[in-house]
Amino acid sequence: MSSWTRTLPSGRAHGHPEPISGMQFSAVELMPGDRTVLMLDQRKLPAQERYELLTEWTQIEDAIRTMVVRGAPAIGIAAAYALVLAAFRAQAEEPGAFIQALRAAGESLLRARPTAVNLAHGVAMMLGAAEVAAGKTGPARTSHMADVARAYHAADVAACKKIGALGAAALPQKCTVLTHCNAGALATGGYGTALGVIRAAREAGKVVRVIADETRPLLQGARLTAWELNRDLIPVTVITDGMAASLMARGEIDAVVVGADRIARNGDVANKIGTYGLACLAHAHGIPFYVAAPWSTVDMDCPDGAAIPIESRSQDEVLTVEAGEATVRVAPPGVPAKNPAFDVTPARLIRAIYTERGAAEAVGGQSIAAALQSLSS
């Protein structure tokens, strides 16, 4: 594994195809030759824009687990590219051994981040592709897997743009939007879901300001959302998570737009911890609460939010902060912490869920669950 600090290179300038993300930065890309995955280390932002070059699927598994890459759609894409690298390592094996090697890699990848359903979706899709690739020989196996993975990545970008257009139509001509965590190009194949709504609204000529929750304990809002929007010259202001209620009470928030890591069949939504509290606040203040996510995030096999597995992360993320090169403990020695990475927002608090298949809205007596069911057919 190697790395360097610089802006994602332009394809034309360096003789390579343009990034699938379609932007000046990408969360993850499969490089020409299909043997290397380029990944932006999101833990280093905003101080460093550092890209890692990964050549083993196990390195991508570790990057998913340690949040070098994060965001449900981006995790699914990273897993798809991991299985391309696994295919390259196994391309000389007999068909049965080839498939078994990819299944073992897929099972290991699934354990990296349990809440994000896109991870399972990406792995399942690539294992299906492996059944076809097994009938080919040598490098043709890797090429087939790479084609499928790149198509999956491109489809996510296209989905984000459709989601953005749908969600943007619901925003007023001039508005201030509150968002939580990061559901932008960094969390997806490109363009973003919640931030895709904001980008699409701006492209439609709407005047949109963004309030970004800092999103403790890892500060994805302050570090990542603010970084993305600032690069796009979209006005953004960072607040602490505890300030949202005050701003709502003062009439300074017109809408809340968030992403999702898993959406249950009944419309309950798992997203970064703190989302449920925002939904309660929005409901109390009569502010519309919107969710933007690709259809791959909808898990029709999951009946409700209670059935969504919630990842619990290290206590150190809560008990310590990074200060330059040092790690400083902020709680007294011996005091423990809880660190669930996600919470569940019940469907009754959600105005609409936007996917590339359409909007699921609780209108005219129809529940969000019924609307999701109609989109699934």
Side-chain angles (χ1 to χ4, degrees), residues 124-154:
M125 179 200 63
M126 293 301 289
L127 292 182
E131 298 285 343
V132 176
K136 303 178 184 293
T137 57
R141 286 177 169 173
T142 303
S143 294
H144 177 75
M145 297 290 285
D147 288 346
V148 172
R150 285 196 178 97
Y152 178 57
H153 187 168

PDB file of all heavy atoms in Angstrom, residues 124-154:
ATOM      1  N   ALA A 124     -23.138  -9.321  -2.735  1.00  0.00           N
ATOM      2  CA  ALA A 124     -24.017 -10.279  -3.402  1.00  0.00           C
ATOM      3  C   ALA A 124     -23.969 -10.115  -4.921  1.00  0.00           C
ATOM      4  O   ALA A 124     -23.926 -11.104  -5.676  1.00  0.00           O
ATOM      5  CB  ALA A 124     -25.446 -10.114  -2.898  1.00  0.00           C
ATOM      6  N   MET A 125     -23.979  -8.867  -5.382  1.00  0.00           N
ATOM      7  CA  MET A 125     -23.927  -8.618  -6.816  1.00  0.00           C
ATOM      8  C   MET A 125     -22.630  -9.165  -7.417  1.00  0.00           C
ATOM      9  O   MET A 125     -22.622  -9.815  -8.471  1.00  0.00           O
ATOM     10  CB  MET A 125     -24.028  -7.127  -7.083  1.00  0.00           C
ATOM     11  CG  MET A 125     -23.952  -6.748  -8.555  1.00  0.00           C
ATOM     12  SD  MET A 125     -23.500  -5.019  -8.772  1.00  0.00           S
ATOM     13  CE  MET A 125     -21.855  -4.996  -8.054  1.00  0.00           C
ATOM     14  N   MET A 126     -21.506  -8.936  -6.728  1.00  0.00           N
ATOM     15  CA  MET A 126     -20.216  -9.373  -7.255  1.00  0.00           C
ATOM     16  C   MET A 126     -20.054 -10.890  -7.179  1.00  0.00           C
ATOM     17  O   MET A 126     -19.396 -11.497  -8.043  1.00  0.00           O
ATOM     18  CB  MET A 126     -19.092  -8.674  -6.507  1.00  0.00           C
ATOM     19  CG  MET A 126     -19.031  -7.170  -6.766  1.00  0.00           C
ATOM     20  SD  MET A 126     -18.793  -6.739  -8.512  1.00  0.00           S
ATOM     21  CE  MET A 126     -17.090  -7.261  -8.755  1.00  0.00           C
ATOM     22  N   LEU A 127     -20.642 -11.522  -6.186  1.00  0.00           N
ATOM     23  CA  LEU A 127     -20.592 -12.985  -6.139  1.00  0.00           C
ATOM     24  C   LEU A 127     -21.426 -13.581  -7.270  1.00  0.00           C
ATOM     25  O   LEU A 127     -21.087 -14.642  -7.819  1.00  0.00           O
ATOM     26  CB  LEU A 127     -21.060 -13.500  -4.779  1.00  0.00           C
ATOM     27  CG  LEU A 127     -20.132 -13.166  -3.604  1.00  0.00           C
ATOM     28  CD1 LEU A 127     -20.669 -13.767  -2.304  1.00  0.00           C
ATOM     29  CD2 LEU A 127     -18.711 -13.654  -3.864  1.00  0.00           C
ATOM     30  N   GLY A 128     -22.503 -12.912  -7.652  1.00  0.00           N
ATOM     31  CA  GLY A 128     -23.245 -13.335  -8.833  1.00  0.00           C
ATOM     32  C   GLY A 128     -22.403 -13.193 -10.084  1.00  0.00           C
ATOM     33  O   GLY A 128     -22.411 -14.069 -10.974  1.00  0.00           O
ATOM     34  N   ALA A 129     -21.652 -12.091 -10.167  1.00  0.00           N
ATOM     35  CA  ALA A 129     -20.761 -11.891 -11.316  1.00  0.00           C
ATOM     36  C   ALA A 129     -19.663 -12.944 -11.352  1.00  0.00           C
ATOM     37  O   ALA A 129     -19.200 -13.343 -12.426  1.00  0.00           O
ATOM     38  CB  ALA A 129     -20.154 -10.491 -11.267  1.00  0.00           C
ATOM     39  N   ALA A 130     -19.217 -13.403 -10.177  1.00  0.00           N
ATOM     40  CA  ALA A 130     -18.167 -14.413 -10.110  1.00  0.00           C
ATOM     41  C   ALA A 130     -18.612 -15.733 -10.730  1.00  0.00           C
ATOM     42  O   ALA A 130     -17.797 -16.465 -11.312  1.00  0.00           O
ATOM     43  CB  ALA A 130     -17.749 -14.625  -8.654  1.00  0.00           C
ATOM     44  N   GLU A 131     -19.906 -16.048 -10.611  1.00  0.00           N
ATOM     45  CA  GLU A 131     -20.425 -17.279 -11.231  1.00  0.00           C
ATOM     46  C   GLU A 131     -20.246 -17.228 -12.749  1.00  0.00           C
ATOM     47  O   GLU A 131     -19.943 -18.240 -13.386  1.00  0.00           O
ATOM     48  CB  GLU A 131     -21.907 -17.448 -10.878  1.00  0.00           C
ATOM     49  CG  GLU A 131     -22.201 -17.595  -9.387  1.00  0.00           C
ATOM     50  CD  GLU A 131     -21.832 -18.962  -8.855  1.00  0.00           C
ATOM     51  OE1 GLU A 131     -21.647 -19.898  -9.663  1.00  0.00           O
ATOM     52  OE2 GLU A 131     -21.715 -19.094  -7.619  1.00  0.00           O
ATOM     53  N   VAL A 132     -20.446 -16.042 -13.325  1.00  0.00           N
ATOM     54  CA  VAL A 132     -20.241 -15.873 -14.772  1.00  0.00           C
ATOM     55  C   VAL A 132     -18.750 -15.867 -15.097  1.00  0.00           C
ATOM     56  O   VAL A 132     -18.294 -16.507 -16.038  1.00  0.00           O
ATOM     57  CB  VAL A 132     -20.900 -14.572 -15.265  1.00  0.00           C
ATOM     58  CG1 VAL A 132     -20.617 -14.341 -16.747  1.00  0.00           C
ATOM     59  CG2 VAL A 132     -22.402 -14.608 -15.004  1.00  0.00           C
ATOM     60  N   ALA A 133     -17.967 -15.141 -14.283  1.00  0.00           N
ATOM     61  CA  ALA A 133     -16.530 -15.018 -14.532  1.00  0.00           C
ATOM     62  C   ALA A 133     -15.827 -16.370 -14.448  1.00  0.00           C
ATOM     63  O   ALA A 133     -14.825 -16.598 -15.134  1.00  0.00           O
ATOM     64  CB  ALA A 133     -15.913 -14.038 -13.541  1.00  0.00           C
ATOM     65  N   ALA A 134     -16.344 -17.270 -13.615  1.00  0.00           N
ATOM     66  CA  ALA A 134     -15.714 -18.581 -13.454  1.00  0.00           C
ATOM     67  C   ALA A 134     -15.692 -19.365 -14.769  1.00  0.00           C
ATOM     68  O   ALA A 134     -14.836 -20.232 -14.975  1.00  0.00           O
ATOM     69  CB  ALA A 134     -16.436 -19.387 -12.379  1.00  0.00           C
ATOM     70  N   GLY A 135     -16.613 -19.056 -15.664  1.00  0.00           N
ATOM     71  CA  GLY A 135     -16.659 -19.721 -16.967  1.00  0.00           C
ATOM     72  C   GLY A 135     -15.658 -19.163 -17.955  1.00  0.00           C
ATOM     73  O   GLY A 135     -15.545 -19.660 -19.084  1.00  0.00           O
ATOM     74  N   LYS A 136     -14.936 -18.120 -17.565  1.00  0.00           N
ATOM     75  CA  LYS A 136     -13.909 -17.528 -18.413  1.00  0.00           C
ATOM     76  C   LYS A 136     -12.545 -18.001 -17.937  1.00  0.00           C
ATOM     77  O   LYS A 136     -12.439 -18.761 -16.970  1.00  0.00           O
ATOM     78  CB  LYS A 136     -14.015 -15.998 -18.358  1.00  0.00           C
ATOM     79  CG  LYS A 136     -15.387 -15.470 -18.775  1.00  0.00           C
ATOM     80  CD  LYS A 136     -15.468 -13.946 -18.670  1.00  0.00           C
ATOM     81  CE  LYS A 136     -16.865 -13.439 -18.997  1.00  0.00           C
ATOM     82  NZ  LYS A 136     -17.205 -13.676 -20.426  1.00  0.00           N
ATOM     83  N   THR A 137     -11.491 -17.555 -18.577  1.00  0.00           N
ATOM     84  CA  THR A 137     -10.158 -17.984 -18.191  1.00  0.00           C
ATOM     85  C   THR A 137      -9.243 -16.796 -17.954  1.00  0.00           C
ATOM     86  O   THR A 137      -9.355 -15.764 -18.627  1.00  0.00           O
ATOM     87  CB  THR A 137      -9.532 -18.872 -19.281  1.00  0.00           C
ATOM     88  OG1 THR A 137      -9.498 -18.159 -20.520  1.00  0.00           O
ATOM     89  CG2 THR A 137     -10.325 -20.160 -19.460  1.00  0.00           C
ATOM     90  N   GLY A 138      -8.350 -16.954 -16.983  1.00  0.00           N
ATOM     91  CA  GLY A 138      -7.293 -15.990 -16.736  1.00  0.00           C
ATOM     92  C   GLY A 138      -7.762 -14.564 -16.575  1.00  0.00           C
ATOM     93  O   GLY A 138      -8.729 -14.279 -15.855  1.00  0.00           O
ATOM     94  N   PRO A 139      -7.069 -13.624 -17.254  1.00  0.00           N
ATOM     95  CA  PRO A 139      -7.382 -12.200 -17.102  1.00  0.00           C
ATOM     96  C   PRO A 139      -8.824 -11.835 -17.465  1.00  0.00           C
ATOM     97  O   PRO A 139      -9.336 -10.828 -16.972  1.00  0.00           O
ATOM     98  CB  PRO A 139      -6.392 -11.530 -18.058  1.00  0.00           C
ATOM     99  CG  PRO A 139      -5.252 -12.491 -18.165  1.00  0.00           C
ATOM    100  CD  PRO A 139      -5.874 -13.843 -18.092  1.00  0.00           C
ATOM    101  N   ALA A 140      -9.480 -12.639 -18.292  1.00  0.00           N
ATOM    102  CA  ALA A 140     -10.869 -12.346 -18.661  1.00  0.00           C
ATOM    103  C   ALA A 140     -11.780 -12.401 -17.439  1.00  0.00           C
ATOM    104  O   ALA A 140     -12.806 -11.717 -17.392  1.00  0.00           O
ATOM    105  CB  ALA A 140     -11.353 -13.324 -19.728  1.00  0.00           C
ATOM    106  N   ARG A 141     -11.401 -13.208 -16.454  1.00  0.00           N
ATOM    107  CA  ARG A 141     -12.186 -13.257 -15.223  1.00  0.00           C
ATOM    108  C   ARG A 141     -12.151 -11.910 -14.494  1.00  0.00           C
ATOM    109  O   ARG A 141     -13.187 -11.358 -14.116  1.00  0.00           O
ATOM    110  CB  ARG A 141     -11.640 -14.342 -14.299  1.00  0.00           C
ATOM    111  CG  ARG A 141     -11.959 -15.759 -14.732  1.00  0.00           C
ATOM    112  CD  ARG A 141     -11.308 -16.760 -13.805  1.00  0.00           C
ATOM    113  NE  ARG A 141     -11.801 -18.105 -14.048  1.00  0.00           N
ATOM    114  CZ  ARG A 141     -11.318 -19.189 -13.472  1.00  0.00           C
ATOM    115  NH1 ARG A 141     -10.313 -19.080 -12.598  1.00  0.00           N
ATOM    116  NH2 ARG A 141     -11.816 -20.386 -13.739  1.00  0.00           N
ATOM    117  N   THR A 142     -10.944 -11.385 -14.325  1.00  0.00           N
ATOM    118  CA  THR A 142     -10.801 -10.102 -13.642  1.00  0.00           C
ATOM    119  C   THR A 142     -11.478  -8.994 -14.434  1.00  0.00           C
ATOM    120  O   THR A 142     -12.138  -8.116 -13.858  1.00  0.00           O
ATOM    121  CB  THR A 142      -9.318  -9.764 -13.436  1.00  0.00           C
ATOM    122  OG1 THR A 142      -8.691 -10.826 -12.699  1.00  0.00           O
ATOM    123  CG2 THR A 142      -9.145  -8.457 -12.677  1.00  0.00           C
ATOM    124  N   SER A 143     -11.333  -9.018 -15.753  1.00  0.00           N
ATOM    125  CA  SER A 143     -11.944  -7.982 -16.594  1.00  0.00           C
ATOM    126  C   SER A 143     -13.457  -7.972 -16.442  1.00  0.00           C
ATOM    127  O   SER A 143     -14.089  -6.914 -16.360  1.00  0.00           O
ATOM    128  CB  SER A 143     -11.558  -8.187 -18.062  1.00  0.00           C
ATOM    129  OG  SER A 143     -10.182  -7.991 -18.251  1.00  0.00           O
ATOM    130  N   HIS A 144     -14.065  -9.166 -16.396  1.00  0.00           N
ATOM    131  CA  HIS A 144     -15.517  -9.235 -16.238  1.00  0.00           C
ATOM    132  C   HIS A 144     -15.928  -8.664 -14.881  1.00  0.00           C
ATOM    133  O   HIS A 144     -16.880  -7.862 -14.804  1.00  0.00           O
ATOM    134  CB  HIS A 144     -15.993 -10.678 -16.351  1.00  0.00           C
ATOM    135  CG  HIS A 144     -17.468 -10.833 -16.119  1.00  0.00           C
ATOM    136  ND1 HIS A 144     -18.410 -10.472 -17.054  1.00  0.00           N
ATOM    137  CD2 HIS A 144     -18.162 -11.271 -15.023  1.00  0.00           C
ATOM    138  CE1 HIS A 144     -19.623 -10.689 -16.567  1.00  0.00           C
ATOM    139  NE2 HIS A 144     -19.496 -11.167 -15.341  1.00  0.00           N
ATOM    140  N   MET A 145     -15.230  -9.039 -13.833  1.00  0.00           N
ATOM    141  CA  MET A 145     -15.560  -8.533 -12.496  1.00  0.00           C
ATOM    142  C   MET A 145     -15.389  -7.015 -12.438  1.00  0.00           C
ATOM    143  O   MET A 145     -16.206  -6.306 -11.839  1.00  0.00           O
ATOM    144  CB  MET A 145     -14.668  -9.205 -11.451  1.00  0.00           C
ATOM    145  CG  MET A 145     -14.858 -10.706 -11.338  1.00  0.00           C
ATOM    146  SD  MET A 145     -16.437 -11.193 -10.602  1.00  0.00           S
ATOM    147  CE  MET A 145     -16.113 -10.825  -8.878  1.00  0.00           C
ATOM    148  N   ALA A 146     -14.340  -6.512 -13.084  1.00  0.00           N
ATOM    149  CA  ALA A 146     -14.101  -5.064 -13.085  1.00  0.00           C
ATOM    150  C   ALA A 146     -15.197  -4.324 -13.828  1.00  0.00           C
ATOM    151  O   ALA A 146     -15.642  -3.246 -13.401  1.00  0.00           O
ATOM    152  CB  ALA A 146     -12.743  -4.769 -13.713  1.00  0.00           C
ATOM    153  N   ASP A 147     -15.653  -4.885 -14.937  1.00  0.00           N
ATOM    154  CA  ASP A 147     -16.730  -4.241 -15.707  1.00  0.00           C
ATOM    155  C   ASP A 147     -18.000  -4.139 -14.871  1.00  0.00           C
ATOM    156  O   ASP A 147     -18.685  -3.102 -14.876  1.00  0.00           O
ATOM    157  CB  ASP A 147     -17.008  -5.033 -16.986  1.00  0.00           C
ATOM    158  CG  ASP A 147     -15.911  -4.885 -18.028  1.00  0.00           C
ATOM    159  OD1 ASP A 147     -15.066  -3.975 -17.897  1.00  0.00           O
ATOM    160  OD2 ASP A 147     -15.891  -5.708 -18.968  1.00  0.00           O
ATOM    161  N   VAL A 148     -18.322  -5.208 -14.162  1.00  0.00           N
ATOM    162  CA  VAL A 148     -19.531  -5.210 -13.329  1.00  0.00           C
ATOM    163  C   VAL A 148     -19.396  -4.197 -12.195  1.00  0.00           C
ATOM    164  O   VAL A 148     -20.335  -3.441 -11.892  1.00  0.00           O
ATOM    165  CB  VAL A 148     -19.792  -6.626 -12.773  1.00  0.00           C
ATOM    166  CG1 VAL A 148     -20.934  -6.600 -11.754  1.00  0.00           C
ATOM    167  CG2 VAL A 148     -20.127  -7.590 -13.905  1.00  0.00           C
ATOM    168  N   ALA A 149     -18.237  -4.145 -11.563  1.00  0.00           N
ATOM    169  CA  ALA A 149     -18.035  -3.221 -10.438  1.00  0.00           C
ATOM    170  C   ALA A 149     -18.093  -1.770 -10.897  1.00  0.00           C
ATOM    171  O   ALA A 149     -18.696  -0.919 -10.222  1.00  0.00           O
ATOM    172  CB  ALA A 149     -16.692  -3.511  -9.765  1.00  0.00           C
ATOM    173  N   ARG A 150     -17.484  -1.469 -12.032  1.00  0.00           N
ATOM    174  CA  ARG A 150     -17.527  -0.086 -12.528  1.00  0.00           C
ATOM    175  C   ARG A 150     -18.954   0.309 -12.918  1.00  0.00           C
ATOM    176  O   ARG A 150     -19.366   1.453 -12.703  1.00  0.00           O
ATOM    177  CB  ARG A 150     -16.582   0.079 -13.716  1.00  0.00           C
ATOM    178  CG  ARG A 150     -15.102   0.120 -13.337  1.00  0.00           C
ATOM    179  CD  ARG A 150     -14.247   0.663 -14.480  1.00  0.00           C
ATOM    180  NE  ARG A 150     -12.841   0.745 -14.095  1.00  0.00           N
ATOM    181  CZ  ARG A 150     -11.919  -0.177 -14.368  1.00  0.00           C
ATOM    182  NH1 ARG A 150     -12.264  -1.264 -15.050  1.00  0.00           N
ATOM    183  NH2 ARG A 150     -10.667  -0.024 -13.988  1.00  0.00           N
ATOM    184  N   ALA A 151     -19.689  -0.619 -13.485  1.00  0.00           N
ATOM    185  CA  ALA A 151     -21.085  -0.329 -13.833  1.00  0.00           C
ATOM    186  C   ALA A 151     -21.902  -0.055 -12.573  1.00  0.00           C
ATOM    187  O   ALA A 151     -22.785   0.829 -12.555  1.00  0.00           O
ATOM    188  CB  ALA A 151     -21.681  -1.489 -14.619  1.00  0.00           C
ATOM    189  N   TYR A 152     -21.638  -0.788 -11.504  1.00  0.00           N
ATOM    190  CA  TYR A 152     -22.303  -0.574 -10.217  1.00  0.00           C
ATOM    191  C   TYR A 152     -21.984   0.818  -9.682  1.00  0.00           C
ATOM    192  O   TYR A 152     -22.879   1.538  -9.196  1.00  0.00           O
ATOM    193  CB  TYR A 152     -21.813  -1.657  -9.254  1.00  0.00           C
ATOM    194  CG  TYR A 152     -22.351  -1.598  -7.846  1.00  0.00           C
ATOM    195  CD1 TYR A 152     -23.713  -1.626  -7.584  1.00  0.00           C
ATOM    196  CD2 TYR A 152     -21.475  -1.582  -6.764  1.00  0.00           C
ATOM    197  CE1 TYR A 152     -24.195  -1.610  -6.276  1.00  0.00           C
ATOM    198  CE2 TYR A 152     -21.941  -1.577  -5.458  1.00  0.00           C
ATOM    199  CZ  TYR A 152     -23.308  -1.587  -5.227  1.00  0.00           C
ATOM    200  OH  TYR A 152     -23.773  -1.572  -3.929  1.00  0.00           O
ATOM    201  N   HIS A 153     -20.736   1.220  -9.793  1.00  0.00           N
ATOM    202  CA  HIS A 153     -20.311   2.553  -9.361  1.00  0.00           C
ATOM    203  C   HIS A 153     -21.023   3.629 -10.177  1.00  0.00           C
ATOM    204  O   HIS A 153     -21.586   4.574  -9.633  1.00  0.00           O
ATOM    205  CB  HIS A 153     -18.788   2.655  -9.526  1.00  0.00           C
ATOM    206  CG  HIS A 153     -18.183   3.902  -8.973  1.00  0.00           C
ATOM    207  ND1 HIS A 153     -16.822   4.063  -8.820  1.00  0.00           N
ATOM    208  CD2 HIS A 153     -18.737   5.076  -8.549  1.00  0.00           C
ATOM    209  CE1 HIS A 153     -16.578   5.260  -8.322  1.00  0.00           C
ATOM    210  NE2 HIS A 153     -17.718   5.899  -8.157  1.00  0.00           N
ATOM    211  N   ALA A 154     -21.009   3.467 -11.503  1.00  0.00           N
ATOM    212  CA  ALA A 154     -21.644   4.467 -12.373  1.00  0.00           C
ATOM    213  C   ALA A 154     -23.145   4.558 -12.116  1.00  0.00           C
ATOM    214  O   ALA A 154     -23.732   5.647 -12.150  1.00  0.00           O
ATOM    215  CB  ALA A 154     -21.375   4.123 -13.838  1.00  0.00           C
TER     216      ALA A 154
END
